[in-house]
Amino acid sequence: MKIKEIENKLIYEIEVLKAPQGFLFAGFPRFNKLFGRDSLIVSWQLLDFDNSICKKTLEILSKLQGKKIDFQKEEEPGKIIHEHSFKEKIHKRFGPFPYYGSVDSTPLYLILFYFYFEKTKDKKFIKKFWKNIKLAINWIEKYGDKDKNLFIEYERKNPNGLYNQAWKDSDFIKPKTPIEIVEVQGYQYFALKKIAYLSKIIFKDKKFSQKLKERAKKLKRKFNKEFWMEDKKFFALALDGDKKQIKYITSNPGHLLFTEIIDKNKVDLVVKRLFAKDMWTKYGIRTHSELEENFDPLSYHAGSVWPHDNWIIAQGLKKLGYQKEYNLIKNALISAYKYLGFLPEYYAVVNGKIEIKNLEKESDYPQAWSSGALLNFLTESNFR
C-alpha cells in the first residue's frame, strides 16, 4: 500500500467522522458521540489539515462547559465534559448527559486554545471565549486541586461513573483515591504557561499572567520531586490517596515531553526508558511495561499499543530534538496500518505480530484519534 493511498483513506475516514456541528465523533459505531478528550486531541492532530475542526470543537465544548455542581453528572463549574450525545438523553451507565467524569479534558481544552491561536493568530476568537478560559483555570485551582497541593486529582462522585478518569480510564488499576495522575500534571503546567502568555499579549493582564506563571513554577519544582522514582529513573504513574507513588512503568510519562515540565537532567532518562525492550515494539510503545505483574498485551490499557498515545509522545520527541525516536514511532504506525489495512483504537503486539482482541474492523473503524495521528505523521508538518 502506497503512502499516498493511505493518506487518501485517512482523509476519507476523517470526513466520515465529522459531525454536522463540525467536531469529530470519536469513532463508529460505538463511539459516535462527542468526547472531550478525544475531540480535543484529534483537533490538535488536524490543526494543519483543517483548523476549523479545532475551532468548532472549542466552541461546542465551551457551550457544554460545567455550570454547577452535580454529583451524578460529575459536573463542576468550569469543567469540560467527558462525553455527550446529541441523540440520547441518558447514558446506560452514567445517567443523564452530558457526563463530566474526565480529569484531563479541562487542561487539554486550555492547551487547544493556545495551539489554535498559535496556528491562526485569531485574537477575536480568544477574546470571545476568554470568560470560558478563565472558568477552566478556576476549575483547576478550585475543583481540580481540592487539597491545594498544586496537583490536579480525580475521585468519582457518581458510584456508577468511571473510577479512573484520565485517558487510561479502564479499571486496570484501582488505587486509593483521590488519584493524581502523572500526565495531567504536565498538561496543567503547559496550560498555565500558555494561558499566561495569551493573557499578557492579548489582554495586557500582567497580574493574571504572573499568577499563572507562579503556580506553574511551583508545580514544576514539586512535580519533579514527588513523581520522580529515583530507583527506576522514571516518573511514577500517579500518586494515590495517601500521596504514595504508584510505581508502574507506563507510557503516560511520555506525554510530559511536549509540556516542558520535566527537569532537563531527566529528559534523556525518560526517552531511553520508553524505548527499552519491555516498552518498545516495532509497532509502537506499549501502554505498560512487560515487566509489570499485571502486564497483558491484549488488555485495554495494561500492555496494548495505542496510536494516539504514541503520537502525543512523538510530539514531545520532535519538539526536544529526538528526531530518530520520532521517526521510529512514525514508521511503527505506518507499519501497523499496512499490516492491518486500517488503524484501530489500540492493538496488541505478541511475538512481534499484531493481534486484535474483541475488536473487529467493521465494528470499531474508523477511530478519530488513530486516523488523525497517522494523517498528521504523513503530512509531516513542522507545527507543534
Side-chain angles (χ1 to χ4, degrees):
M1 186 180 293
K2 295 181 180 179
I3 294 298
K4 192 62 181 178
E5 183 182 352
I6 296 174
E7 186 178 325
N8 289 337
K9 284 184 70 177
L10 293 168
I11 291 171
Y12 171 75
E13 291 163 14
I14 295 301
E15 290 302 316
V16 166
L17 289 166
K18 191 175 287 186
Q21 299 92 334
F23 69 87
L24 294 189
F25 291 116
F28 281 150
R30 294 186 302 150
F31 303 119
N32 61 335
K33 299 179 180 71
L34 171 64
F35 283 79
R37 175 189 307 120
D38 302 47
S39 65
L40 288 163
I41 289 173
V42 74
S43 293
W44 176 12
Q45 293 167 338
L46 299 177
L47 266 170
D48 283 319
F49 174 73
D50 183 356
N51 61 52
S52 73
I53 294 171
C54 184
K55 185 176 185 179
K56 295 295 184 182
T57 299
L58 289 170
E59 286 176 345
I60 198 161
L61 291 176
S62 296
K63 289 178 183 178
L64 294 166
Q65 189 174 28
K67 297 173 178 62
K68 60 184 180 180
I69 294 175
D70 183 326
F71 286 165
Q72 186 175 20
K73 291 184 176 182
E74 307 210 41
E75 178 181 2
E76 292 164 334
K79 195 176 185 182
I80 300 303
I81 66 161
H82 169 71
E83 180 180 352
H84 183 59
S85 173
F86 295 92
K87 294 181 179 180
E88 307 164 45
K89 292 184 178 180
I90 304 289
H91 190 286
K92 62 183 179 180
R93 173 180 169 182
F94 307 137
F97 280 117
Y99 173 64
Y100 291 81
S102 170
V103 74
D104 50 358
S105 292
T106 307
L108 285 169
Y109 167 82
L110 293 168
I111 288 169
L112 263 294
F113 269 109
Y114 167 74
F115 281 153
Y116 180 78
F117 176 78
E118 188 182 32
K119 180 65 182 175
T120 66
K121 307 304 179 188
D122 188 349
K123 290 185 180 181
K124 185 177 178 181
F125 184 75
I126 301 299
K127 289 178 179 178
K128 181 180 178 181
F129 291 100
W130 191 243
K131 180 180 178 181
N132 301 86
I133 289 169
K134 293 191 84 169
L135 284 170
I137 290 288
N138 185 67
W139 177 84
I140 287 175
E141 296 175 340
K142 184 175 181 179
Y143 298 98
D145 179 20
K146 287 187 172 66
D147 62 5
K148 307 304 177 191
N149 73 337
L150 298 175
F151 300 142
I152 297 177
E153 68 258 359
Y154 62 84
E155 182 174 29
R156 67 177 173 184
K157 283 81 176 174
N158 179 345
N160 295 317
L162 293 166
Y163 190 92
N164 286 308
Q165 299 190 349
W167 88 258
K168 291 179 181 174
D169 56 8
S170 66
D171 289 349
F172 79 110
I173 57 165
K174 291 192 78 173
K176 182 179 179 180
T177 57
I179 301 163
E180 297 164 344
I181 200 81
V182 63
E183 74 273 14
V184 173
Q185 315 315 322
Y187 298 166
Q188 179 194 180
Y189 177 80
F190 193 78
L192 291 169
K193 295 276 284 186
K194 299 311 178 183
I195 298 304
Y197 168 77
L198 293 180
S199 178
K200 184 178 179 180
I201 68 164
I202 297 176
F203 298 96
K204 313 301 180 187
D205 189 343
K206 293 182 180 179
K207 185 177 180 181
F208 183 64
S209 179
Q210 189 59 36
K211 174 189 144 183
L212 299 186
K213 287 192 285 187
E214 282 298 318
R215 180 180 174 92
K217 183 179 179 180
K218 292 175 184 176
L219 171 63
K220 181 171 183 174
R221 187 185 307 117
K222 187 171 184 180
F223 172 80
N224 280 276
K225 180 181 178 181
E226 297 195 19
F227 275 79
W228 184 249
M229 300 184 291
E230 185 58 35
D231 57 333
K232 299 189 178 187
K233 298 293 188 288
F234 200 61
F235 288 102
L237 172 61
L239 303 183
D240 66 15
D242 293 323
K243 308 300 183 186
K244 293 180 180 178
Q245 292 180 343
I246 301 172
K247 288 180 168 288
Y248 290 123
I249 300 294
T250 67
S251 62
N252 298 57
H255 290 215
L256 302 173
L257 294 170
F258 86 88
T259 72
E260 305 165 10
I261 198 173
I262 305 177
D263 286 340
K264 288 183 179 180
N265 65 334
K266 296 181 175 71
V267 171
D268 201 53
L269 294 168
V270 170
V271 172
K272 287 179 179 178
R273 191 65 190 83
L274 290 168
F275 285 88
K277 64 180 182 179
D278 59 309
M279 289 292 288
W280 173 249
T281 79
K282 67 178 181 179
Y283 296 109
I285 296 171
R286 299 187 187 278
T287 50
H288 211 66
S289 167
E290 286 183 317
L291 302 178
E292 302 295 356
E293 73 274 10
N294 62 340
F295 170 77
D296 178 359
L298 296 169
S299 70
Y300 203 51
H301 290 133
S304 55
V305 176
W306 286 62
H308 95 274
D309 182 34
N310 277 258
W311 181 85
I312 293 175
I313 294 169
Q315 300 320 293
L317 293 169
K318 187 177 184 180
K319 182 176 183 177
L320 295 170
Y322 289 88
Q323 193 63 41
K324 175 185 174 183
E325 289 81 0
Y326 171 87
N327 286 330
L328 281 172
I329 292 178
K330 173 185 172 180
N331 292 328
L333 295 196
I334 293 172
S335 296
Y337 194 102
K338 289 181 175 180
Y339 187 97
L340 294 167
F342 72 112
L343 206 57
E345 188 172 39
Y346 71 102
Y347 45 85
V349 179
V350 182
N351 297 322
K353 296 182 179 180
I354 293 180
E355 290 188 19
I356 300 177
K357 181 184 180 184
N358 299 328
L359 182 64
E360 296 194 7
K361 183 175 180 178
E362 293 76 19
S363 64
D364 286 85
Y365 166 79
Q367 290 283 334
W369 58 6
S370 293
S371 299
L374 188 52
L375 184 58
N376 179 273
F377 275 131
L378 294 184
T379 53
E380 273 296 344
S381 164
N382 288 320
F383 175 75
R384 298 185 180 98

PDB file of all heavy atoms in Angstrom, residues 110-121:
ATOM      1  N   LEU A 110      -7.741  24.059  27.458  1.00  0.00           N
ATOM      2  CA  LEU A 110      -6.925  25.267  27.538  1.00  0.00           C
ATOM      3  C   LEU A 110      -5.745  25.205  26.563  1.00  0.00           C
ATOM      4  O   LEU A 110      -5.425  26.190  25.883  1.00  0.00           O
ATOM      5  CB  LEU A 110      -6.420  25.458  28.964  1.00  0.00           C
ATOM      6  CG  LEU A 110      -7.492  25.768  30.010  1.00  0.00           C
ATOM      7  CD1 LEU A 110      -6.928  25.636  31.421  1.00  0.00           C
ATOM      8  CD2 LEU A 110      -8.071  27.157  29.803  1.00  0.00           C
ATOM      9  N   ILE A 111      -5.118  24.054  26.495  1.00  0.00           N
ATOM     10  CA  ILE A 111      -3.979  23.874  25.593  1.00  0.00           C
ATOM     11  C   ILE A 111      -4.392  24.095  24.144  1.00  0.00           C
ATOM     12  O   ILE A 111      -3.673  24.728  23.362  1.00  0.00           O
ATOM     13  CB  ILE A 111      -3.363  22.467  25.787  1.00  0.00           C
ATOM     14  CG1 ILE A 111      -2.623  22.406  27.123  1.00  0.00           C
ATOM     15  CG2 ILE A 111      -2.424  22.110  24.639  1.00  0.00           C
ATOM     16  CD1 ILE A 111      -2.214  21.003  27.537  1.00  0.00           C
ATOM     17  N   LEU A 112      -5.568  23.601  23.775  1.00  0.00           N
ATOM     18  CA  LEU A 112      -6.005  23.731  22.386  1.00  0.00           C
ATOM     19  C   LEU A 112      -6.361  25.164  22.026  1.00  0.00           C
ATOM     20  O   LEU A 112      -6.229  25.555  20.858  1.00  0.00           O
ATOM     21  CB  LEU A 112      -7.159  22.774  22.107  1.00  0.00           C
ATOM     22  CG  LEU A 112      -6.743  21.445  21.441  1.00  0.00           C
ATOM     23  CD1 LEU A 112      -6.196  21.698  20.027  1.00  0.00           C
ATOM     24  CD2 LEU A 112      -5.689  20.708  22.257  1.00  0.00           C
ATOM     25  N   PHE A 113      -6.795  25.960  22.976  1.00  0.00           N
ATOM     26  CA  PHE A 113      -6.976  27.385  22.681  1.00  0.00           C
ATOM     27  C   PHE A 113      -5.630  28.005  22.293  1.00  0.00           C
ATOM     28  O   PHE A 113      -5.549  28.802  21.340  1.00  0.00           O
ATOM     29  CB  PHE A 113      -7.576  28.126  23.881  1.00  0.00           C
ATOM     30  CG  PHE A 113      -9.074  28.183  23.871  1.00  0.00           C
ATOM     31  CD1 PHE A 113      -9.816  27.441  24.779  1.00  0.00           C
ATOM     32  CD2 PHE A 113      -9.750  28.973  22.955  1.00  0.00           C
ATOM     33  CE1 PHE A 113     -11.205  27.489  24.773  1.00  0.00           C
ATOM     34  CE2 PHE A 113     -11.139  29.033  22.940  1.00  0.00           C
ATOM     35  CZ  PHE A 113     -11.877  28.286  23.850  1.00  0.00           C
ATOM     36  N   TYR A 114      -4.591  27.647  23.024  1.00  0.00           N
ATOM     37  CA  TYR A 114      -3.269  28.175  22.699  1.00  0.00           C
ATOM     38  C   TYR A 114      -2.799  27.681  21.329  1.00  0.00           C
ATOM     39  O   TYR A 114      -2.325  28.475  20.493  1.00  0.00           O
ATOM     40  CB  TYR A 114      -2.245  27.793  23.770  1.00  0.00           C
ATOM     41  CG  TYR A 114      -0.832  28.041  23.309  1.00  0.00           C
ATOM     42  CD1 TYR A 114      -0.330  29.349  23.229  1.00  0.00           C
ATOM     43  CD2 TYR A 114      -0.020  26.989  22.901  1.00  0.00           C
ATOM     44  CE1 TYR A 114       0.952  29.588  22.770  1.00  0.00           C
ATOM     45  CE2 TYR A 114       1.262  27.224  22.440  1.00  0.00           C
ATOM     46  CZ  TYR A 114       1.739  28.517  22.370  1.00  0.00           C
ATOM     47  OH  TYR A 114       3.004  28.762  21.892  1.00  0.00           O
ATOM     48  N   PHE A 115      -2.914  26.371  21.079  1.00  0.00           N
ATOM     49  CA  PHE A 115      -2.478  25.836  19.788  1.00  0.00           C
ATOM     50  C   PHE A 115      -3.256  26.464  18.634  1.00  0.00           C
ATOM     51  O   PHE A 115      -2.689  26.751  17.569  1.00  0.00           O
ATOM     52  CB  PHE A 115      -2.649  24.313  19.757  1.00  0.00           C
ATOM     53  CG  PHE A 115      -1.568  23.552  20.470  1.00  0.00           C
ATOM     54  CD1 PHE A 115      -1.836  22.300  21.019  1.00  0.00           C
ATOM     55  CD2 PHE A 115      -0.282  24.043  20.591  1.00  0.00           C
ATOM     56  CE1 PHE A 115      -0.849  21.576  21.670  1.00  0.00           C
ATOM     57  CE2 PHE A 115       0.712  23.332  21.246  1.00  0.00           C
ATOM     58  CZ  PHE A 115       0.419  22.090  21.782  1.00  0.00           C
ATOM     59  N   TYR A 116      -4.563  26.667  18.836  1.00  0.00           N
ATOM     60  CA  TYR A 116      -5.376  27.276  17.785  1.00  0.00           C
ATOM     61  C   TYR A 116      -4.908  28.702  17.511  1.00  0.00           C
ATOM     62  O   TYR A 116      -4.788  29.119  16.356  1.00  0.00           O
ATOM     63  CB  TYR A 116      -6.856  27.273  18.176  1.00  0.00           C
ATOM     64  CG  TYR A 116      -7.744  27.891  17.113  1.00  0.00           C
ATOM     65  CD1 TYR A 116      -8.085  27.180  15.966  1.00  0.00           C
ATOM     66  CD2 TYR A 116      -8.202  29.200  17.244  1.00  0.00           C
ATOM     67  CE1 TYR A 116      -8.865  27.762  14.971  1.00  0.00           C
ATOM     68  CE2 TYR A 116      -8.991  29.783  16.255  1.00  0.00           C
ATOM     69  CZ  TYR A 116      -9.319  29.056  15.128  1.00  0.00           C
ATOM     70  OH  TYR A 116     -10.096  29.634  14.140  1.00  0.00           O
ATOM     71  N   PHE A 117      -4.621  29.453  18.580  1.00  0.00           N
ATOM     72  CA  PHE A 117      -4.130  30.819  18.393  1.00  0.00           C
ATOM     73  C   PHE A 117      -2.764  30.812  17.718  1.00  0.00           C
ATOM     74  O   PHE A 117      -2.493  31.629  16.822  1.00  0.00           O
ATOM     75  CB  PHE A 117      -4.052  31.561  19.730  1.00  0.00           C
ATOM     76  CG  PHE A 117      -3.454  32.930  19.599  1.00  0.00           C
ATOM     77  CD1 PHE A 117      -4.204  33.975  19.106  1.00  0.00           C
ATOM     78  CD2 PHE A 117      -2.125  33.152  19.940  1.00  0.00           C
ATOM     79  CE1 PHE A 117      -3.643  35.243  18.945  1.00  0.00           C
ATOM     80  CE2 PHE A 117      -1.557  34.418  19.794  1.00  0.00           C
ATOM     81  CZ  PHE A 117      -2.318  35.462  19.295  1.00  0.00           C
ATOM     82  N   GLU A 118      -1.894  29.914  18.142  1.00  0.00           N
ATOM     83  CA  GLU A 118      -0.560  29.834  17.546  1.00  0.00           C
ATOM     84  C   GLU A 118      -0.653  29.581  16.046  1.00  0.00           C
ATOM     85  O   GLU A 118       0.133  30.113  15.256  1.00  0.00           O
ATOM     86  CB  GLU A 118       0.266  28.733  18.215  1.00  0.00           C
ATOM     87  CG  GLU A 118       1.722  28.711  17.787  1.00  0.00           C
ATOM     88  CD  GLU A 118       2.518  27.586  18.412  1.00  0.00           C
ATOM     89  OE1 GLU A 118       1.929  26.510  18.657  1.00  0.00           O
ATOM     90  OE2 GLU A 118       3.716  27.773  18.656  1.00  0.00           O
ATOM     91  N   LYS A 119      -1.631  28.789  15.659  1.00  0.00           N
ATOM     92  CA  LYS A 119      -1.816  28.458  14.248  1.00  0.00           C
ATOM     93  C   LYS A 119      -2.474  29.586  13.464  1.00  0.00           C
ATOM     94  O   LYS A 119      -2.088  29.878  12.329  1.00  0.00           O
ATOM     95  CB  LYS A 119      -2.662  27.183  14.141  1.00  0.00           C
ATOM     96  CG  LYS A 119      -2.933  26.723  12.712  1.00  0.00           C
ATOM     97  CD  LYS A 119      -1.655  26.307  12.029  1.00  0.00           C
ATOM     98  CE  LYS A 119      -1.915  25.895  10.593  1.00  0.00           C
ATOM     99  NZ  LYS A 119      -0.649  25.599   9.884  1.00  0.00           N
ATOM    100  N   THR A 120      -3.492  30.240  14.036  1.00  0.00           N
ATOM    101  CA  THR A 120      -4.328  31.178  13.279  1.00  0.00           C
ATOM    102  C   THR A 120      -4.109  32.649  13.617  1.00  0.00           C
ATOM    103  O   THR A 120      -4.507  33.526  12.842  1.00  0.00           O
ATOM    104  CB  THR A 120      -5.813  30.869  13.522  1.00  0.00           C
ATOM    105  OG1 THR A 120      -6.132  31.135  14.907  1.00  0.00           O
ATOM    106  CG2 THR A 120      -6.129  29.412  13.191  1.00  0.00           C
ATOM    107  N   LYS A 121      -3.541  32.934  14.799  1.00  0.00           N
ATOM    108  CA  LYS A 121      -3.390  34.316  15.318  1.00  0.00           C
ATOM    109  C   LYS A 121      -4.752  35.020  15.444  1.00  0.00           C
ATOM    110  O   LYS A 121      -4.844  36.244  15.345  1.00  0.00           O
ATOM    111  CB  LYS A 121      -2.462  35.153  14.420  1.00  0.00           C
ATOM    112  CG  LYS A 121      -1.112  34.517  14.144  1.00  0.00           C
ATOM    113  CD  LYS A 121      -0.361  34.173  15.422  1.00  0.00           C
ATOM    114  CE  LYS A 121       0.979  33.506  15.108  1.00  0.00           C
ATOM    115  NZ  LYS A 121       1.662  32.991  16.308  1.00  0.00           N
TER     116      LYS A 121
END
